[in-house]
Amino acid sequence: MNPINSSRARLLVTTIGLVMVAVGCSDESVRVYQVPKEQAHAQQPPAATERPNAPTAHVHWDSLPANWKDRPVTGKMRAAEIGITGSGGQEAELVAIPLPELAGKELEFVNMWREQINLTPTTTAAIAELREPLTIAGNPGQLFDMVSDKPLTEGQPKQRILVAMATIEATTWFFKLTGADELVAQEKSNLKGFLAKVELHTAAHDDPHAGLASAPPTQSAPPAAPAPGLPKWTVPAGWTAATPGPMLLASFDLAGGGGKVTVSSLGGDGGGLLMNVNRWRGQIGLSPLTGDQLSGVTKEIDVASGKATLVDLSNNDRRMLILVVPHQGQSGFYKFLGDASAVGKEMDAFLQFAKSAQY
Amino acid sequence: MRHALKFISSLRLTVALLSLSLVLVFAGTIAQVEYGLWDTQVRFFRSLFVYWKPAGGEFAIPVLPGGYLLGWALLVNLLAAHYVRFKFAWSKLGIFLTHFGLIFLLLGQFFTEQMQVESSMRLEEGQSKNYSEAGRSTELVFIDHSNSEFDEVVAIPQSQLASGRELAPPKLPFQVKIEEFHLNSRLRQRAPMMSTNPPAATQGIGVQAELIPAARATAMDAINVPSAIISFKGDGAPTGTWLVSLNLDQPQTITVGGKSWDTALRFTRHYTPYSIGLLDFRHDKYMGTEKAKNFSSQVRLTNPTTGEDRETLIKMNQPLRYAGTTYFQASFEPGRDDITILQVVRNPAWLTPYISVIVIGLGLIVQFSMHLFKFVNRRKSS
């Protein structure tokens, strides 16, 4: 070993020590800087990605219970807002909120509402027991009833939340009634009656009753050559073109109001057949299937672009037919929802319509 | 001093340090379950010591040497060993080269750690930005718009935000008190009939919001959403409390002595003297699937200081390197085909690992070749 020079060694150790102290002392400090003024980003997002529904979605009703009062809508997301007054000055509020399709996310929503009244989160298994079926604008929906364990504010009554929801076409409608426990519980039957008759619109329209299933057709079937960008198809006699909702290519009402046909298209397989079938099953109040059970509700049929898959779902008097047509790396979804009898009667016309589509 | 130098240059210390490094890596790996990757990196590897706080205890106790301490100790050990035993001989050239490469690698990694800045840039088609944003650190800013030419920004880093702390930032005629600071939080709009908590603040947007503290985010893809309740002190300073949060989209305006500042808690911004604008974003998928095949961003680079104004394509494995900064095609926003996310990396020491590995490799080749030649010669002579 070389002899160690003491002064050099001291220098080495001191240098290393200083570097280590410097490392340990580094800290961020306040910065002051000048930047060019930011210019507003003028470009609008493409229409397809704009938040659907909110600006023009609205709700129609014929009458309200005596203690319900229509109020101007205050939130951007809201399609309707109703104030409810009970005996003794208790108050509750009903709001309608349409959102892009959210079927299958009930657990997240229910837990969000439960948290608002300090209830612990529930589970997928337990949520089935909390669900009550009801009808919203002629569609199957579900109702969740939650009440706080104790008053949220001292001296005030316990709080109750009733939320009714239904997915109609590509929109999930939420009706949330919140307020004092006793008052909201009393208004539950009024809410069910109100929702059964309510009319829901996702887009603006001139005549509030134009295009509704119960209204007589106001225009004839569209010409065989549809708008640019749509496939060419032959529309069966008696079908009335309606304004397609967000995400839809086309929408048709059946004469007599027994059902509705919608057409949409998604990239690839649109998320997979099982996931979609279970989503559609949820829309008519059926429980999800496993992959093994899928063959029981699907069958393959020949169409011009190859093999298409027909999904046939029924629940009581509601029936839903969906024809999934793969084409050019996309999947076309032809969906027919309505009364079981009307859907059965028009099934052949529906299949002919879907088969006539040329991409 | 001689004994000290003998100790720090000893091979025993090398073995002890390497063993401690193994323990640190093991403990750091296990700790990721509780703290997540990012926090573990800071606690275990970007620190001089790893601290442990007993449940309910006031003080944290150092229980392991941290990554910085071990790294520096290994470097010192290596340097000291050379200092003590150094005697140049051609026969040891390979060992010298290998050790020099190792020293360079350790130093290079340290400088990378200290100097590298990673951030991201989110651009919509048609949008241009002259800054990128750090995805995991935030700053409380006060922006003075009074000058017609530029905005003056006073940015307080997140590391200085702590409950109860009073700050007197430069260039501001008022003091800022951090009444509450929450590393992770959620905001909920107050619904008058459902409110269970008081409003987050008495002024500004905070009146309409509830602030709900949340547990520190530990998942790889989760980020903390810091929020703070702040108040102001000084002549003409506004009264009451204000909510600032990463979850608030828009800044709020405060007025002090007739002059206004916009304030917000936002991701830390890194400004550049040039701007990058997105002309076109392409997100190609394999046919019939949602699997990404290729992402690319056609961007326009404008630098008023050099007069540059040119278009270039950034795509996977083909980043844009400009002015010491590299822009990688990193991600996109699901459902939006007009938004690109670029990863922005500024690392002045980026070449050091390459140089180190070459030098170490060269040293090993020299060393093994010398042994091989010696061996072959010995066999020949015998």
Side-chain angles (χ1 to χ4, degrees), chain A residues 210-334:
Chain A
L212 290 179
S214 55
T218 52
Q219 59 187 113
S220 58
L230 289 180
K232 287 181 184 172
W233 49 43
T234 310
V235 179
W239 288 20
T240 311
T243 309
M247 313 282 287
L248 296 178
L249 293 176
S251 177
F252 301 94
D253 290 326
L254 253 65
K260 197 173 186 69
V261 173
T262 56
V263 185
S264 60
S265 183
L266 291 171
D269 62 1
L273 188 61
L274 180 64
M275 193 275 285
N276 276 314
V277 167
N278 284 333
R279 188 168 55 85
W280 295 321
R281 288 178 66 84
Q283 288 170 8
I284 59 167
L286 292 171
S287 54
L289 296 180
T290 62
D292 303 339
Q293 297 168 311
L294 201 55
S295 58
V297 295
T298 59
K299 85 173 175 193
E300 282 201 337
I301 61 170
D302 291 321
V303 292
S305 57
K307 294 271 183 203
T309 306
L310 179 67
V311 182
D312 192 347
L313 308 171
S314 296
N315 188 14
N316 296 327
D317 60 341
R318 306 288 290 170
R319 189 170 176 191
M320 186 190 276
L321 296 175
I322 304 104
L323 190 66
V324 186
V325 183
H327 63 91
Q328 297 155 349
Q330 297 246 321
S331 292
F333 294 90
Y334 293 78

